[in-house]
Amino acid sequence: MRTLLPPPPPSSPEYSATLASLAARILYPNPLPSSTTGSPLYILNSAAFPSTQDTNYDDLAPYVLARLPSSETLIAGLEYEIFFFAAPAEGKEHKKNRPGWHWYLQIYQLLPRVLRKRLRRLWIVGAENWIRILVEGALAVGGGKGRKKVLFLRSWRGLRDYGVAIEKVCVPPMAWEAAKRKTKKPASCGQEESKAGRRAFGVQGPLPVVRGDSSDGNEVRLPRVLREATSFLLMEECVKTKGVFRVNAKAVQVELLRDCYERGQQFVIWKEMDAVLSFPCWREGVGDVGVEELEEKDGFDVHAAAGLIKLWYNELREPICPPPCYQALKKFYGDKELELEPWQLVELLKPDAGWTFLSATARRILNMHLLPLLSRVTKFKEWNQMSADSLAVCFAPALLRGPDIEEDMKIMDIIRRLLGLMVANWEAHLAPVLGLSYEKFEKELHLPKAIDDREDPLEEGDQATLPMDAQMNGITLVDNDGSASDTAPEEGDDRHAHHEDEPPPLPPRPRTFADTEGQRPPLPPRIRSSTITDVLSTGLMSGPRQSPNDGFDGQVRRKPAPTMQPLPRYSMVVGSSNQAPATLEHMPFYNTGDQPIEEPDDAMAEMDLPEYEPVPGSSSRTVISRKPVPQTSPKGES
């Protein structure tokens, strides 16, 4: 490919709609400009490249480059940036069939001069090291200016180091999955960004408070994750999908969606066949994203939306049916033959109910979202094969989260029967009495008018991410050691004044007895006896009772070790089992040969040995049994 010609116009018979559709998936403009320079931003997705066996890349190149800004626009002084997600799609076969890097370099060299000159930055995310060496070498040969414009990043997380707001970039799911596989990380792409706080899942207040001007401060709304996922699921092309809420979604896609909403990703692509979720925020950027041109695998499908809704209910900080209500459920609703009337179900869901096992937040969530959603899905049960009982079976596990799994399994049958009855009677009996309707439910799913309500706020109360000034605001440090510094300083006394340049004072250390104003006598010497007589003799029990900390001198006192008795000269004295050993001084010693042992010498007699008194009635003669010395035979005798 030596020359690069523009693609034929759409009215020409040589124009290929297939190649144009592929080009729209590979390169498209971002809805919002670059967060660092304000220039138009384009996304180049390597995971969307087709196989070289099915597509001629020389014919595809003009259609791809035609999606860049025109030369007339760039001549006027406009610059642009490109985010190139270089990680390939899943599968070794697709990786081998994609074009080599020489094709990318050839395309760059064949670009018009104005396109290369007005390119402000080329971000290459997820490329391997050998690719980096190859590209930098080729750009260095072609010209030094092009080399300065290219920046390599191992993963998209590195964009934050350069001040790029990844939540303002419209990245398709294929690029997210490819980048996650490239970094070989667990399915938690937004975990590092979510350390500042929770935004959508498991928050303290599951229903955010409306912050618009028309609100009185007490109204609540549905979170963004439920609003968008439910709006996409209830589209006619999606709600008719067979097995909705029953067929499990891909775990990777559900985790990616969870991280996107926790991170505050502004653009999430939902697409199922011809159904595309589009909000007015798509039109707030420099260019329009052609979502309709993307294929089904370029967006999250209906099963991913259903799995995300169930995940939101499963991760509620306080489940819909907490463990304390299990006993009441068994007592009043444990009988399988019990038939409940609609008015009994109304009493459970009323906001001002006198008694119900559901909390006020749980009743509001059921009335605002879950029951209208499931009731609407049952209207299309001829297509999706999902009745009220089937939906109750799918959602009952998400409403329970107790410490005992066996206990949850026992309660799950009761919750399934109650939820099935509520869904079946919602539109005809429950909603009219509660003052609700499907029209109000659709209104809750619309995009809020106030811009502040389009995104959910971070959970409050986490001061770890706040600056030091915000953390110290409203906190007063007061010495609590009982010293004179607790009182307010006198006028003109600046000893306790805190200067802005100095750090705040540290808490007071534990003081010893010597630091106190009143000197008290120290504790008496270490007690050598543990008997009550010796303790009383020291005088500790006399006088007023003292506190355990009174007179503490900072030394740790331990119980003294017992005194050791002198050991006898012989290691063991063996006698009758019923007799006590006699006094060693008057004890004769015998061996088995009846040879008397020498009497102890004077040094032995002068030793201060303990005296043992024999037991009355025992014999005074104790014999030590010893092995006789072997007799040596004269020489010559056998």
Side-chain angles (χ1 to χ4, degrees):
M1 186 175 57
R2 298 181 179 180
T3 59
L4 182 64
L5 300 176
S11 58
S12 174
E14 298 180 357
Y15 180 81
S16 176
T18 303
L19 295 178
S21 177
L22 291 175
R25 297 177 53 210
I26 296 173
L27 181 64
Y28 59 88
N30 192 61
L32 298 179
S34 174
S35 57
T36 57
T37 61
S39 304
L41 182 63
Y42 289 83
I43 309 299
L44 181 59
N45 183 18
S46 176
F49 276 104
S51 173
T52 55
Q53 299 179 357
D54 303 332
T55 306
N56 187 356
Y57 274 80
D58 292 343
D59 298 338
L60 178 62
Y63 290 88
V64 174
L65 297 180
R67 301 185 63 84
L68 292 174
S70 60
S71 301
E72 293 78 7
T73 305
L74 298 177
I75 292 176
L78 181 66
E79 296 180 334
Y80 67 99
E81 297 182 11
I82 296 178
F83 274 4
F84 181 24
F85 290 91
E90 185 177 6
K92 296 183 179 179
E93 182 178 355
H94 184 83
K95 183 177 180 180
K96 294 180 180 179
N97 293 337
R98 72 175 184 177
W101 279 91
H102 65 280
W103 183 82
Y104 296 100
L105 297 177
Q106 189 176 10
I107 289 294
Y108 181 78
Q109 296 296 333
L110 292 177
L111 282 176
R113 182 175 181 276
V114 64
L115 287 176
R116 286 184 292 173
K117 184 177 181 179
R118 292 301 179 182
L119 177 61
R120 187 163 187 174
R121 177 73 71 180
L122 175 59
W123 309 81
I124 301 180
V125 183
E128 298 179 359
N129 292 333
W130 69 273
I131 297 296
R132 176 178 179 178
I133 297 174
L134 177 63
V135 174
E136 287 185 350
L139 293 176
V141 174
K145 295 182 179 179
R147 183 180 179 183
K148 296 179 181 179
K149 296 180 180 181
V150 180
L151 184 63
F152 289 87
L153 297 174
R154 184 173 297 274
S155 65
W156 61 267
R157 295 180 179 88
L159 294 173
R160 291 194 175 275
D161 298 337
Y162 296 91
V164 178
I166 191 64
E167 60 270 8
K168 296 183 179 180
V169 180
C170 180
V171 184
M174 295 178 61
W176 287 125
E177 296 179 17
K180 183 176 66 64
R181 288 192 304 270
K182 190 69 177 178
T183 55
K184 297 181 181 179
K185 298 249 182 211
S188 180
C189 297
Q191 183 179 4
E192 299 176 358
E193 287 75 8
S194 301
K195 290 181 180 179
R198 298 174 181 266
R199 187 187 299 271
F201 294 84
V203 295
Q204 185 68 30
L207 299 177
V209 179
V210 178
R211 294 175 294 177
D213 298 336
S214 60
S215 172
D216 56 359
N218 298 324
E219 297 180 2
V220 294
R221 60 174 176 84
L222 292 176
R224 179 193 168 201
V225 55
L226 291 185
R227 186 178 67 242
E228 295 187 2
T230 306
S231 299
F232 176 69
L233 188 142
L234 291 181
M235 299 180 70
E236 187 175 356
E237 297 85 350
C238 300
V239 75
K240 292 182 178 181
T241 304
K242 186 177 181 180
V244 61
F245 286 116
R246 184 179 70 243
V247 177
N248 293 329
K250 293 182 179 180
V252 176
Q253 289 194 356
V254 176
E255 288 295 332
L256 288 174
L257 282 170
R258 182 187 186 278
D259 296 334
C260 287
Y261 284 103
E262 288 282 17
R263 187 171 52 249
Q265 198 75 25
Q266 295 189 11
F267 306 104
V268 180
I269 301 176
W270 297 94
K271 184 175 177 61
E272 177 74 23
M273 301 298 290
D274 296 333
V276 178
L277 181 64
S278 178
F279 282 108
C281 57
W282 286 99
R283 309 297 177 181
E284 293 179 358
V286 175
D288 299 336
V289 178
V291 185
E292 293 79 4
E293 299 177 353
L294 300 180
E295 292 187 2
E296 181 181 355
K297 59 183 179 180
D298 293 332
F300 296 103
D301 58 2
V302 60
H303 296 298
L308 188 67
I309 295 174
K310 290 192 292 185
L311 180 64
W312 187 87
Y313 279 93
N314 192 31
E315 292 196 3
L316 284 174
R317 182 168 298 186
E318 181 181 356
I320 299 296
C321 300
C325 71
Y326 287 1
Q327 186 176 0
L329 287 172
K330 291 180 180 179
K331 181 178 180 181
F332 297 102
Y333 308 102
D335 188 5
K336 297 182 179 180
E337 306 244 346
L338 180 64
E339 296 182 2
L340 296 177
E341 298 294 335
W343 65 269
Q344 294 176 312
L345 300 176
V346 171
E347 291 295 328
L348 294 176
L349 299 173
K350 285 171 51 177
D352 56 347
W355 179 92
T356 177
F357 65 91
L358 298 172
S359 63
T361 304
R363 282 174 284 171
R364 182 169 288 182
I365 294 175
L366 291 175
N367 293 332
M368 289 182 61
H369 181 260
L370 185 58
L371 295 180
L373 168 63
L374 300 184
S375 177
R376 184 65 177 177
V377 172
T378 56
K379 295 296 182 181
F380 300 89
K381 61 182 178 181
E382 296 181 2
W383 293 272
N384 55 35
Q385 305 297 322
M386 297 298 295
S387 61
D389 293 336
S390 301
L391 293 173
V393 171
C394 297
F395 264 92
L399 307 183
L400 301 172
R401 193 175 66 253
D404 190 356
I405 300 179
E406 295 182 0
E407 192 68 18
D408 291 348
M409 295 297 293
K410 297 177 182 179
I411 301 298
M412 192 178 301
D413 185 60
I414 302 176
I415 298 300
R416 179 188 59 80
R417 289 189 287 108
L418 290 176
L419 183 60
L421 290 175
M422 291 179 181
V423 173
N425 294 276
W426 171 256
E427 186 175 5
H429 301 92
L430 303 184
V433 179
L434 297 173
L436 302 174
S437 62
Y438 186 72
E439 288 74 16
K440 292 184 178 180
F441 176 58
E442 285 184 333
K443 186 178 179 180
E444 293 288 342
L445 299 178
H446 291 168
L447 187 70
K449 296 181 179 180
I451 299 179
D452 296 338
D453 292 333
R454 295 183 180 180
E455 185 57 75
D456 300 331
L458 284 173
E459 184 180 16
E460 299 179 358
D462 189 3
Q463 296 184 352
T465 58
L466 298 178
M468 182 59 66
D469 297 339
Q471 296 186 36
M472 297 298 296
N473 186 18
I475 300 178
T476 305
L477 300 178
V478 179
D479 294 336
N480 55 357
D481 54 356
S483 61
S485 61
D486 291 344
T487 59
E490 299 180 0
E491 185 176 358
D493 186 8
D494 58 349
R495 291 177 300 172
H496 305 285
H498 174 64
H499 302 281
E500 295 181 357
D501 299 337
E502 300 178 358
L506 296 174
R509 296 181 178 179
R511 298 179 304 162
T512 61
F513 175 77
D515 297 335
T516 57
E517 298 179 357
Q519 298 293 334
R520 297 181 183 178
L523 289 176
R526 184 177 297 177
I527 301 175
R528 301 192 178 210
S529 177
S530 60
T531 59
I532 188 63
T533 306
D534 295 337
V535 174
L536 292 175
S537 64
T538 58
L540 290 178
M541 302 300 295
S542 61
R545 186 175 181 179
Q546 299 179 355
S547 173
N549 295 329
D550 291 345
F552 179 68
D553 57 356
Q555 298 181 359
V556 180
R557 302 185 182 277
R558 292 185 174 90
K559 182 179 179 180
T563 57
M564 297 183 62
Q565 299 293 338
L567 298 176
R569 185 172 183 180
Y570 299 94
S571 60
M572 182 179 298
V573 178
V574 181
S576 176
S577 59
N578 297 328
Q579 297 178 359
T583 306
L584 295 178
E585 183 179 358
H586 307 286
M587 182 184 298
F589 296 91
Y590 294 86
N591 57 9
T592 56
D594 292 337
Q595 297 294 332
I597 301 178
E598 298 180 359
E599 295 293 333
D601 52 6
D602 297 339
M604 182 69 181
E606 293 177 1
M607 291 181 61
D608 187 13
L609 297 177
E611 297 182 359
Y612 296 91
E613 298 180 2
V615 180
S618 62
S619 175
S620 61
R621 185 173 181 273
T622 304
V623 179
I624 300 177
S625 301
R626 296 187 179 183
K627 184 178 181 179
V629 180
Q631 299 293 336
T632 58
S633 59
K635 295 183 179 180
E637 297 181 2
S638 56

